[in-house]
Amino acid sequence: MPARSPKRSSIKRLLGDLLLALFVLPALILLLYRVMPPPVTPLMLIRLAEGHGGITKSWRPLSRISPNLQRAVIASEDAKFCTHSGFDWDAVDRALEHNQAGGGLRGASTISMQTAKNLFLWPERNFIRKGAEAYLTVWLEALLPKKRILELYLNEIEWGPGLYGAEAAAQEYFGVSAAHLTSRQAALMATALPNPLGWRPDRPGPWMSERAGTVQARMNSVALGEDTPCP
């Protein structure tokens, strides 16, 4: 039997170590993010390189973010946030039917999926990113409670050029802290999330204003628990 090449064995060992690191590293980072705020995200660095201003953000615990905004993003982005395990399969089915019918591209990202993307990935849509997003969402839901997921989402999400998180956005657009957002202000901020570089909550056009009214009405049906977004 010919002896195995030491070089080939080293390459196999290196590939094995890399695969193990790719498997374990997201879990280790998420365990850190369970107790500490993320210092920076890939999206922030990408936007900085693209020339979209600096990085303005100010971490706030969920207790200092208005319940109005918590209800607004759940009503607007993920009505089943408290009951799913990261994926809203009904929304996925509806999106597939809509896209196959030629009605334009529609996504089905939950708050958990968006949080995984915001913490680890890049903004462009492609199959590689969506696959990585799904993998990371499984880790996210396994390791973090819903309260922490929503807290990370509201603190790291892009709300304008160089603007990240609820506190920075509330100060920029309405001159108040995130804790004091009104129902209407919260609905406008949630409505702007799909296009943060193009829409401003403080300058809504007709469609955005109407959509914010719909979100505001839906907020009434979102029940928050005590010291947690999920009752």
Side-chain angles (χ1 to χ4, degrees):
M1 293 287 294
R4 282 199 302 175
S5 164
K7 184 177 180 182
R8 191 191 237 170
S9 298
S10 297
I11 292 173
K12 278 183 149 183
R13 198 160 45 245
L14 178 61
L15 288 174
D17 291 343
L18 285 173
L19 287 173
L20 182 63
L22 286 173
F23 182 77
V24 173
L25 190 58
L28 295 177
I29 293 172
L30 284 170
L31 287 173
L32 283 176
Y33 288 170
R34 185 174 176 130
V35 296
M36 63 174 285
V40 72
T41 67
L43 178 63
M44 295 174 189
L45 298 177
I46 289 168
R47 295 295 192 226
L48 189 64
E50 291 174 343
H52 291 292
I55 298 175
T56 303
K57 66 189 199 107
S58 185
W59 178 273
R60 291 292 183 272
L62 202 60
S63 60
R64 293 179 60 189
I65 297 176
S66 171
N68 287 323
L69 188 59
Q70 297 178 47
R71 290 190 180 95
V73 297
I74 292 172
S76 177
E77 298 290 299
D78 186 3
K80 295 182 179 179
F81 172 67
C82 288
T83 57
H84 64 60
S85 298
F87 307 94
D88 183 347
W89 298 112
D90 290 334
V92 170
D93 289 340
R94 290 194 301 271
L96 287 173
E97 290 174 5
H98 176 84
N99 297 340
Q100 288 169 357
L105 189 62
R106 176 187 290 177
S109 291
T110 62
I111 284 175
S112 300
M113 294 170 72
Q114 292 180 55
T115 303
K117 179 194 72 176
N118 291 339
L119 291 177
F120 292 100
L121 302 173
W122 59 96
E124 284 75 22
R125 289 185 181 183
N126 55 53
F127 287 115
I128 294 175
R129 200 218 75 192
K130 292 301 289 185
E133 181 182 292
Y135 171 72
L136 292 165
T137 298
V138 173
W139 274 122
L140 187 84
E141 284 277 346
L143 296 175
L144 304 183
K146 291 288 188 179
K147 176 182 178 181
R148 186 59 173 180
I149 293 172
L150 186 63
E151 193 169 58
L152 285 164
Y153 176 82
L154 288 172
N155 275 286
E156 302 301 322
I157 197 163
E158 183 180 35
W159 244 305
L163 203 62
Y164 303 92
E167 181 66 22
Q171 294 283 358
E172 171 69 18
Y173 295 127
F174 300 112
V176 300
S177 72
H180 298 120
L181 287 164
T182 66
S183 175
R184 178 64 177 174
Q185 290 168 342
L188 286 165
M189 284 181 60
T191 300
L193 285 174
N195 186 14
L197 299 181
W199 297 341
R200 288 184 59 102
D202 58 342
R203 300 176 192 167
W207 179 89
M208 190 175 171
S209 184
E210 182 179 348
R211 170 65 182 167
T214 301
V215 171
Q216 201 169 355
R218 290 178 181 173
M219 288 165 59
N220 296 325
S221 64
V222 178
L224 300 180
E226 191 172 332
D227 194 36
T228 174
C230 298

